[in-house]
């Protein structure tokens, strides 16, 4: 029985991934969804295939101590076969407006929590292999004036993923990074409030890419930073 | 297959590696060298227990690694001796099976098959060895004797021994003040002329001793263990 853990599953890309995998990936029999809001997770569960076994965990990744305790409890009873790290936080500000609190919260949610949950997952995966998919962003690959904390945290996610891919190879653990470009999520609204969300990628598009990594055919992309961008045709 | 014990010699102090930390704790592709060995042993249920012999000041660090890497094998960590020979002698006191495998923490490229092949073999005393690919002569300042390299072997670990026979050999060595043996096949043979089978070793089962060895180790790892 394969268990898939998805963080940040209460909305956006995380929710879309949970829904997509529950409907199309029959090898997964149990989903563990994590987010701050149980209410929103309940909504995600409502959209998922009803035959899926789904457990919900409320964890505030901005609180590292609480996160460690909750993860210890989660992994006491569960092994992970697939881990999808999707939790994200953004508060776009210029360098002069960025406070240490803002910077730290961004890194706690986007990087430190990913490190903590990945470390626990690896303990359970190291004897039989597994897949780890980290959702980063194209913001982690190039300059984004006004988004320094977010962009730096996403750059960290990309390198964290690439490094782990090498480090965990002997355990049969595949590690991927998926870096979407502009995608219609609440997080994107904060970054680009005036953008029409219907003109950019949808969370379901990213979920489709993630789904393609789950079967054995996805093994060949191990270690890649997979950039997902919408093709824009202009005439 | 007969149940067996293992002695893992982890006596490195970092001197020849010119490092502040012993070589068994240096990171090879992200994991301490000793962990590479222990994780392979973890996959061999026939190895019932492991006695790690290491410098006393590194026992705590070794136990910490066992905990962090979630190793479930029955592992005892003891303070080693002044010499490799004494470390093996002390570790033998804790061995509970009649057969023991001896390996070194500084040989991370050993494979599960390397262990299994000597365990499956019916001979009680076995060492791995490589051919000598270069000319060897005997001399001290001047050459005093030609040696036939076809009659010589390059001893490689792991080895397997009958515990009673090896203990007798070590007791004999202590009683006779013979304390310069650098591995156990030569000690056992010197003591009793025991039959010790030679099995062909692997070129890549390198002992990481010098900074050069450590430099080429990642290449060996990539080539033989993760297939890149």
């Amino acid at each position: 029985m394969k268990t898939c853990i998805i963080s940040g599953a209460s909305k956006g890309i995380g929710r879309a991934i949970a829904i997509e995998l529950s409907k199309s990936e029959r090898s997964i029999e149990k989903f563990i969804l994590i987010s701050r809001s149980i209410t929103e997770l309940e909504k995600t569960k409502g959209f998922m295939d009803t035959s899926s076994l789904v457990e919900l965990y409320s964890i505030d990744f901005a609180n590292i101590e609480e996160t460690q305790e909750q993860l210890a409890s989660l992994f006491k009873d569960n092994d992970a076969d697939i881990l999808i790290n999707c939790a994200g936080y953004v508060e776009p500000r210029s360098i002069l407006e960025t406070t240490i609190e803002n910077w730290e919260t961004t890194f706690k949610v986007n990087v430190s929590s990913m490190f903590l949950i990945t470390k626990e997952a690896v303990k359970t995966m190291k004897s039989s292999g597994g897949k780890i998919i980290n959702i980063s962003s194209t913001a982690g690959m190039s300059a984004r004036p006004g988004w320094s904390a977010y962009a730096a945290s996403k750059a960290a996610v990309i390198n964290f993923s690439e490094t782990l891919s090498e480090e965990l190879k002997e355990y049969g653990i595949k590690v991927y990074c998926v870096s979407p470009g502009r995608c219609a999520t609440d997080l994107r609204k904060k970054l680009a409030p005036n953008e029409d969300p219907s003109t950019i990628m949808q969370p379901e598009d990213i979920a489709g890419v993630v789904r393609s990594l789950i079967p054995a055919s996805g093994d060949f992309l191990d270690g890649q930073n997979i950039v997902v961008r919408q093709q824009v045709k202009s005439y | 297959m007969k149940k067996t014990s293992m002695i893992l010699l982890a006596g490195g102090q970092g001197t020849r590696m010119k490092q502040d930390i012993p070589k068994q704790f240096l990171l090879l592709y992200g994991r301490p060298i000793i962990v590479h060995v222990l994780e392979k042993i973890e996959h061999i249920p026939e190895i019932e227990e492991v006695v790690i012999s290491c410098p006393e000041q590194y026992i705590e660090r070794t136990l910490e690694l066992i905990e962090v890497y979630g190793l479930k094998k029955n592992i005892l960590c003891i303070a080693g001796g002044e010499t490799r020979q004494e470390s093996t002698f002390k570790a033998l006191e804790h061995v509970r099976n009649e057969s023991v495998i001896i390996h070194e923490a500084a040989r991370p490229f050993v494979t599960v098959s390397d262990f299994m092949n000597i365990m499956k073999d019916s001979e009680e005393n076995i060492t791995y060895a490589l051919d000598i690919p270069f000319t060897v002569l005997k001399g001290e300042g001047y050459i005093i004797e030609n040696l036939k390299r076809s009659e010589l072997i390059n001893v490689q670990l792991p080895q397997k021994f009958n515990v009673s026979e090896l203990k007798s050999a070590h007791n004999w060595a202590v009683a006779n003040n013979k304390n310069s043996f650098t591995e156990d096949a030569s000690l056992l043979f010197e003591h009793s002329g025991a039959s010790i089978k030679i099995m062909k070793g692997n070129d890549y089962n390198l002992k990481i001793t010098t900074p050069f060895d450590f430099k080429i180790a990642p290449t060996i790892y990539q080539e033989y263990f993760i297939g890149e």
Side-chain angles (χ1 to χ4, degrees), chain A residues 32-197:
Chain A
I32 296 175
L33 307 184
I34 304 173
S35 169
R36 254 188 322 175
S37 167
I38 282 285
T39 311
E40 292 299 316
L41 284 179
E42 289 285 3
K43 287 184 193 166
T44 301
K45 186 180 175 182
F47 293 125
M48 291 171 72
D49 187 284
T50 49
S51 64
S52 304
L53 180 60
V54 184
E55 280 183 21
L56 310 178
Y57 277 80
S58 168
I59 304 179
D60 179 3
F61 282 153
N63 184 333
I64 291 296
E65 263 186 39
E66 182 197 310
T67 298
Q68 284 177 302
E69 285 169 19
Q70 298 270 58
L71 290 177
S73 159
L74 189 161
F75 282 96
K76 195 177 164 198
D77 302 321
N78 295 286
D79 288 345
D81 299 288
I82 300 163
L83 169 65
I84 302 168
N85 285 308
C86 203
Y89 173 86
V90 68
E91 192 63 53
R93 292 178 190 179
S94 72
I95 180 66
L96 295 181
E97 290 177 281
T98 300
T99 62
I100 187 65
E101 289 78 18
N102 170 245
W103 180 273
E104 284 184 348
T105 302
T106 306
F107 269 76
K108 279 177 187 170
V109 177
N110 295 359
V111 185
S112 302
S113 68
M114 179 181 286
F115 153 70
L116 289 171
I117 194 169
T118 301
K119 185 175 170 178
E120 293 303 319
V122 166
K123 287 180 192 170
T124 74
M125 289 178 178
K126 74 193 278 276
S127 57
S128 52
K131 293 203 170 186
I132 298 170
I133 302 168
N134 296 328
I135 307 300
S136 180
S137 164
T138 50
M141 299 159 56
S142 56
R144 292 289 195 277
W147 308 357
S148 60
Y150 179 73
S153 74
K154 289 301 182 181
V157 169
I158 293 169
N159 201 288
F160 178 64
S161 308
E162 290 173 346
T163 299
L164 282 193
S165 164
E166 289 295 309
E167 190 173 317
L168 302 177
K169 266 198 169 77
E170 201 184 336
Y171 297 144
I173 301 173
K174 311 290 183 193
V175 185
Y176 311 85
C177 189
V178 174
S179 292
R182 296 179 301 160
C183 183
T185 62
D186 287 355
L187 190 144
R188 177 71 192 173
K189 272 185 206 159
K190 276 191 175 178
L191 291 168
N194 299 323
E195 190 174 57
D196 176 359

Side-chain angles (χ1 to χ4, degrees), chain B residues 38-185:
Chain B
L38 289 171
E39 286 187 332
K40 281 163 194 143
I41 300 166
E42 195 76 358
H43 294 294
I44 309 174
E46 290 82 1
I47 297 177
E48 280 193 324
E49 59 175 4
V50 181
V51 181
I52 300 176
S53 171
C54 70
E56 190 158 18
Q57 65 270 33
Y58 295 114
I59 289 178
E60 197 178 328
R61 172 70 179 138
T62 306
L63 293 174
E64 187 181 87
L65 289 176
I66 291 164
E67 167 76 20
V68 166
Y69 283 85
L71 302 172
K72 303 282 186 278
K73 188 69 73 181
N74 177 18
I75 300 174
L76 176 69
C77 206
I78 64 161
E82 289 294 310
T83 62
R84 183 197 188 281
Q85 187 180 326
E86 191 187 350
S87 293
T88 312
F89 177 67
K90 289 176 78 172
L92 273 171
E93 293 303 310
H94 299 274
V95 164
R96 291 178 299 182
N97 285 295
E98 221 3 71
S99 178
V100 66
I101 290 172
I102 297 181
H103 192 62
E104 295 159 311
R107 287 189 191 267
F109 303 122
V110 66
T111 63
V112 171
S113 298
D114 292 334
F115 289 125
M116 294 302 284
N117 288 341
I118 54 172
M119 287 168 65
K120 278 187 211 158
D121 198 289
S122 59
E123 292 281 344
E124 289 197 296
N125 302 310
I126 301 174
T127 187
Y128 277 109
L130 295 172
D131 294 337
I132 306 279
F134 43 80
T135 300
V136 280
L137 301 174
K138 189 172 177 181
E140 274 186 44
Y142 292 90
I143 293 166
I144 54 176
E145 189 181 343
N146 283 333
L147 297 172
K148 286 187 185 170
R149 71 179 185 192
S150 59
E151 294 177 354
L152 301 173
I153 58 166
N154 176 4
V155 173
Q156 195 179 57
L157 268 62
Q159 299 170 323
K160 181 179 86 169
F161 297 104
N162 174 285
V163 170
S164 300
E165 287 182 44
L166 191 60
K167 274 185 177 175
S168 296
H170 272 274
N171 287 331
W172 162 82
V174 170
N176 291 279
N177 202 27
K178 291 179 180 291
N179 51 18
S180 58
F181 288 97
T182 53
E183 57 78 49
D184 291 271

Side-chain angles (χ1 to χ4, degrees), chain A residues 213-229:
Chain A
L213 300 173
I214 304 298
S217 56
D219 289 0
F220 302 106
L221 289 167
D222 175 32
Q224 305 288 318
N225 176 28
I226 302 157
V227 178
V228 187
R229 282 195 177 108

